[in-house]
Amino acid sequence: MVRRFLLGVLACCAAVLTCAVPAHALGVVDDDPAVAARGAGDMRAVIRGSDAALWTRSWDGSSWTAWTSLGGELTSGPSISARPDGVYDVVARGTDGAVYHKAFTPAGGWTEWASLGGGFLSAPAVSYRQGTGQIDVVGVGLDNALYFKSYEPGTGWSEWATLGGGLAGRPGMISPDPQHIEIYARGTAGDLFEKYWTPSTGWSEYLPLGGQLISGISATAWDANRRDVFARAIDGALWIRSWTNTGAWAPWARLGGAPSSAPGATAVGPNRLEVFVRGGQQVASNSFSSTWTGWRGFGYAPLFSAPPPAVVPGPTPGSSLRLNAGFGCIPVGGRVPVRIRIKQRSSRLKPRVIKIVFFIDGGKHKRTDRHRPYKTRIRVSYRRGSRHRVHARIYFRRKGSHRVHRKTVSKRFTMCP
């Protein structure tokens, strides 16, 4: 009986991770960019586009390519990791809450999306494990605990294993030296925690590293003697905390900026870091090589939708364009005197006239005037007693706008009997 009860408890615990989440219940989480590099001449950035697909662009040492879609329907930002042989691994959360994997190989290009299962509250993180060739994936499950899965060449993917904890947001993961895994994750109270694994120690306890964070984590290691952990803090800026082989963590340092996402960071090489963030619909980057360059624009995120142009107010009762044609009847062979008066009570809406085209009826007898006082006399020879209409088409701009507007006003006249 006790055994049956324990099996039931274990089944319930497993269900926390493996039960699929209905697609309609999932919002987008951790919509952050990510970046990975094999060196100064080989780097890839990935991001979730506004169409929910994965998009990528690459760096060849001198320039970036344009964004290219890799498809998919993501409910989180992606994470990316580079292998020494030129393979890049990308993971992200799908519409069912599971983790999906996609890889780039130099010989074959991008693979199709493959489900790794599970059910997650956060975006996953991915890392190449030095010394073994394994690929490790970690994310925050539906019970706010960390779950871990690894791929071993020749064996395939393991099952998901729980690492416990009470966490939130995308974790960061690195392998700073052979057979060594380090995971950095934000606690539900906003502080940073570290958890590591080595063959001799197994998994450590969660080690507190402080901070007041509001985003997921990105971690880098350019060699075994350096760690850098990045996150967005409660002031909205990006912050960094670093460790060196002296054995002590430096205090949190502010990198500033105005990100709307967590960072995506990579170590390009010794003493070389690249960090990317979203800033609304744009992406920004910051580079480190002995010192930080400061934030620079990286263009708009894929499928950027420009805001509609500002609506230019039309004439109000206090601002009008009027046609004055002070005449009774027009004798045959006579001239139609017409004049435009611009009247306004508010200088804010005063139009700047570019030109006025005067014409009779459907366009016969045209005159164009580009200068004040905007008046003309048009000769007409219509049948006695016939009725006609004189028009003035005004082309103008409003104050503070480059857009050319057009308005046509008219007045009827009659040929004398």
Side-chain angles (χ1 to χ4, degrees):
M1 192 72 173
V2 173
R3 182 179 178 211
R4 185 175 302 170
F5 172 75
L6 290 175
L7 288 174
V9 172
L10 290 174
C12 290
C13 292
V16 171
L17 177 68
T18 59
C19 288
V21 182
H24 63 79
L26 289 176
V28 177
V29 297
D30 303 321
D31 199 9
D32 318 318
V35 61
R38 288 202 315 125
D42 188 353
M43 181 163 45
R44 288 187 180 271
V46 289
I47 199 169
R48 178 185 177 273
S50 59
D51 59 350
L54 176 70
W55 290 72
T56 185
R57 60 191 302 188
S58 58
W59 168 262
D60 63 4
S62 60
S63 63
W64 285 95
T65 63
W67 288 110
T68 302
S69 177
L70 300 177
E73 190 172 356
L74 313 182
T75 59
S76 80
S79 294
I80 185 169
S81 177
R83 307 186 204 178
D85 59 0
V87 176
Y88 284 86
D89 293 280
V90 177
V91 291
R93 191 180 73 159
T95 56
D96 57 356
V99 170
Y100 284 78
H101 172 258
K102 193 178 187 75
F104 172 84
T105 62
W110 288 97
T111 64
E112 297 298 321
W113 286 104
S115 176
L116 303 184
F120 290 87
L121 296 176
S122 77
V126 62
S127 178
Y128 171 81
R129 193 189 308 182
Q130 293 193 52
T132 68
Q134 290 175 257
I135 307 301
D136 298 314
V137 179
V138 68
V140 176
L142 304 181
D143 57 353
N144 290 103
L146 275 183
Y147 284 83
F148 178 84
K149 190 182 188 83
S150 64
Y151 174 84
E152 185 172 350
T155 302
W157 289 99
S158 68
E159 297 298 323
W160 288 104
T162 181
L163 300 181
L167 307 166
R170 182 192 69 187
M173 182 167 53
I174 55 175
S175 177
D177 49 26
Q179 290 280 35
H180 186 178
I181 305 169
E182 291 182 2
I183 300 173
Y184 297 89
R186 174 171 60 96
T188 53
D191 41 349
L192 179 67
F193 287 90
E194 176 191 359
K195 193 178 186 72
Y196 66 85
W197 179 92
T198 67
S200 60
T201 64
W203 286 106
S204 72
E205 299 296 324
Y206 283 96
L207 309 175
L209 295 177
Q212 293 179 299
L213 311 178
I214 60 172
S215 79
I217 309 299
S218 188
T220 68
W222 66 54
D223 59 30
N225 300 315
R226 176 77 181 216
R227 319 279 192 275
D228 291 286
V229 181
F230 302 84
R232 188 175 172 222
I234 58 173
D235 64 349
L238 191 69
W239 288 70
I240 179 176
R241 191 164 194 196
S242 304
W243 178 92
T244 61
N245 60 357
T246 59
W249 284 91
W252 285 98
R254 193 176 190 271
L255 292 182
S260 59
S261 75
T266 188
V268 179
N271 210 39
R272 290 280 308 277
L273 297 171
E274 293 286 342
V275 183
F276 293 83
V277 295
R278 281 186 185 270
Q281 297 192 77
Q282 299 192 54
V283 181
S285 68
N286 201 345
S287 302
F288 177 84
S289 180
S290 299
T291 186
W292 290 98
T293 61
W295 293 103
R296 299 164 296 174
F298 194 61
Y300 287 102
L303 299 181
F304 161 72
S305 178
V311 176
V312 178
T316 66
S319 177
S320 61
L321 301 169
R322 294 182 179 178
L323 172 66
N324 285 359
F327 44 73
C329 66
I330 305 298
V332 176
R335 295 176 183 270
V336 179
V338 288
R339 178 175 180 174
I340 286 292
R341 290 188 183 275
I342 302 173
K343 181 181 178 182
Q344 76 284 332
R345 294 174 186 167
S346 169
S347 60
R348 181 176 65 87
L349 293 174
K350 182 179 180 180
R352 182 168 68 85
V353 175
I354 300 170
K355 67 177 180 179
I356 299 177
V357 178
F358 299 97
F359 58 95
I360 306 292
D361 294 340
K364 192 175 182 181
H365 306 299
K366 285 188 177 181
R367 299 283 190 278
T368 299
D369 196 342
R370 299 178 185 274
H371 305 284
R372 291 180 183 274
Y374 307 120
K375 64 180 182 178
T376 189
R377 298 171 62 87
I378 305 176
R379 185 182 297 277
V380 291
S381 298
Y382 294 114
R383 180 174 53 85
R384 295 177 184 272
S386 60
R387 294 184 176 183
H388 304 274
R389 187 173 288 274
V390 59
H391 305 268
R393 182 162 295 155
I394 305 123
Y395 297 82
F396 64 98
R397 290 191 178 98
R398 291 289 180 196
K399 186 177 180 180
S401 173
H402 296 289
R403 181 183 173 190
V404 176
H405 299 263
R406 186 178 71 179
K407 180 178 181 179
T408 302
V409 291
S410 64
K411 190 169 185 178
R412 187 181 297 276
F413 68 92
T414 302
M415 299 300 293
C416 295

